[in-house]
Amino acid sequence: MNDNGQASNCFHCDQPIPAGSHYTVVIDDQERQMCCRGCQAVAQAIVDGGLLDYYRYRTAPARSPEELVPEALRQLTLYDRPELQRSFVRAEGDDVREASLILEGITCAACVWLNERHVGTLPGVLEFRVNYSTHRAQLKWDNSRIRLSDILQAIAAIGYIAHPFDPSRQEEVQKRERAQALRRIAVAALGSMQVMMLAGAIYAADFYGGMDPDMWTFIRWVSMVVATPVLLYSAQPFFISAWRDLRRRRLGMDVPVSFAMIGAFLASVWATISNTGTTYFDSVTMFAFFLLTGRFLEMNARHKAGQVAEELVRLIPATATRLTETGEDVVAVAELAPGDKVLIRPGEVVPADGRIVEGHSSVDESLLTGESLPLPKQPGATLVGGTVNTESPLTMVVEKVGGDTVLSSIVRLLDRAQTEKPQIAQLADRVAAWFVAALLLVAGTVAWWWWQTSPEDAFWITLSVLVVTCPCALSLATPTAITAATGALTRLGLLTTRGHALETLARATHIIFDKTGTLTLGRLALQEATPLRAMTREEVLRIAAALERGSEHPVARALVAAAAESGAAAAEVIASPGQGIEGVVDGRRYRIGNPAYVAALSGGDVQAALPGSRAGATRVVLGDEEGLVASFEFADQLRPAARETIDALKALGFKVLLLSGDSPGAVGRVAQELGIDEAHGALLPQDKLNRLKELQAQGAVVAMVGDGVNDAPVLAGAQVSLAMGSGTQLAHASADMVLLSEQLPHLVDGVRTARRTLAIIRQNLAWALLYNLLALPAAAAGYVPPWLAAIGMSLSSLLVVLNALRLRRGRETSGAADATPLAPAATASGA
């Protein structure tokens, strides 16, 4: 007792009671002091369970709750530490957290369903999706309501292991998964060969007149000994998966297979011990061998289908060269922080997102954007983590690290697309769940009928029915196709960010384009340069470029880019915002800008001398003290292959529209050049949305392509939306797909791939249903022996996977994809 009359040690664990603790439990009508809430909960559970004799007869204090928790589960609490979460958890707001996890133990689509349902019901879990191909899970939770360790423990409670995603660890997990699968296959193969040899002897003896009873009994016992490790070791994954499903009161695809294997084995054991009846050891071992082989091939195909996401994750290097006041310091990339300066040598990978402060080089962005040629970079240009510096050293200031980088956002979007299920996939999942229940009912009916008709055949026929109709192919039909297609498009630079995108794009009838930054590059280019005196085009461009050389105005940049000579800048330069620039070139004073500003230098009227301009063009004029010298017209430059892309979309059956906030004249010019029949300019975002809703009300399935903030409402309103890679983050968040490559022909490839994906999913589902419709009556009629049922089910699943992997070949060659850039008339030169 302490000075206050309170027990100094906990009644449950005998540990000292911290000062200020007031945890009590009434035991034997007496209030007992506890040291913590955990001991209080355990003691109360003992009391409530009527187990008070535990305290009367115990010879030592009970273990504390911490001692009762396994070491592995205690270690999970380490993941709650902020300093550890910094490397893999992304914060959204005050309490919302997001992390990428790896799940070990996933064997089939039913495992994915079980984890998503179990974790999704935990209070505080906002979102939990599992990518079946990569076994990566995207988790979002409210940190004020539930801890990450609690979620990891909940996953462990149903028999799976979850840990933060680490590319090297995932590779290790996949290698271990393959090695273990090969060991199980080897045991099953060896067992099935031995048992089949022994079974062959019995079959041959039956054919040629019988076998000595002692030898017959001996072969049965040897077969049982050989088949036992196959059942207990090789077939273990099927039993574990089935038990998980049954514990959760769900009928997964491994339930009928497990019933068949265990039933066949137990019946064979009884027949061996009693020395009567038929044994099925050969069928059991062949079940295991063929099913494991099919799962192994499907696993390899799944790893290949998810390879793109893994390649993206592995782009970031482990170390970086950080520049300090004392020199260079090689540090882990995880240690970089915004504001750090890093040196990127030729051949090295950019470790984070940032901006160049020193150096000129070219950077290979092909794995991120699909652009095959390195892009030139200079001071002020942005660099994206994961790209490769190809030529000269660059010094970069880090701006974004970890989960905030472009690469991390791409991986998150790709994971989201591969884990979200389109409507056709959700339908297949529901059908598969009911299919197993129907299968068990049909198997019971078949068993009853054959028991009445031919009892000696009832067991093996029921066995065949259970195995041959396992809905593995039905569950694999959609996820493998979606993963393969999104991986192929990501290689092209077309990132799929929503699971429904491919299905909806395949059904789209109309496609709406924004103009600026979508069909055009979003920057002015010189279209016409017209000398108004006896001067050449090159001479007037040289004078204009000299005046504009120090300006950052879009018109200035276009003129400097179009000038053939990079001469010196003008002297005595005076800039008048909103009007133009004045300066001295070759001893003469010039002005360039709007006509009124230039006319004021000579004092004359310039309008009469100006030639007519094209609709939608931006005009500036050049003049001196004697009058006008030249007229220049500028327009937004069309993207390369824009016309070919529009033509290809029309050939695919799309109705193409152009809706823009730009002037009607500029919009009309672009529509005419691209062959777009319906185009509207001067539209507000609400106007675009109204036109979109009009089309949808008429039954159209609309795809929207845009890039800016003003496109976000329309992108969100369309059935499927695509944002340009250079667009805003808001546009990306509102879009279902992102064109990282900025190459319009890849939209055509996206449509073709989407249609192929939907076709392959339908083929897979049709095959899975047709196979079951044909196999079930044949098995129920006794035409399919158990070993053939195992082969048929495995081949059915493998066929579905291989059919889906055809999508990994990427785009088909198309006119749009192979088209050359636009004709010179649309280039900056205007020639």
Side-chain angles (χ1 to χ4, degrees), residues 136-148:
R136 267 216 316 273
Q138 290 300 118
L139 169 67
K140 185 181 292 187
W141 75 99
D142 186 340
N143 204 48
S144 64
R145 298 173 60 195
I146 190 171
R147 296 178 304 173
L148 177 59

Side-chain angles (χ1 to χ4, degrees), residues 16 34 170 249 262 324 340 411 570 615 637 737 788 799 822:
M34 303 290 162
Q170 177 168 22
R249 298 180 180 180
I262 294 174
T324 64
D340 286 348
V411 172
Q637 188 176 1
M737 306 178 81
L788 184 59
L799 179 64
L822 293 178

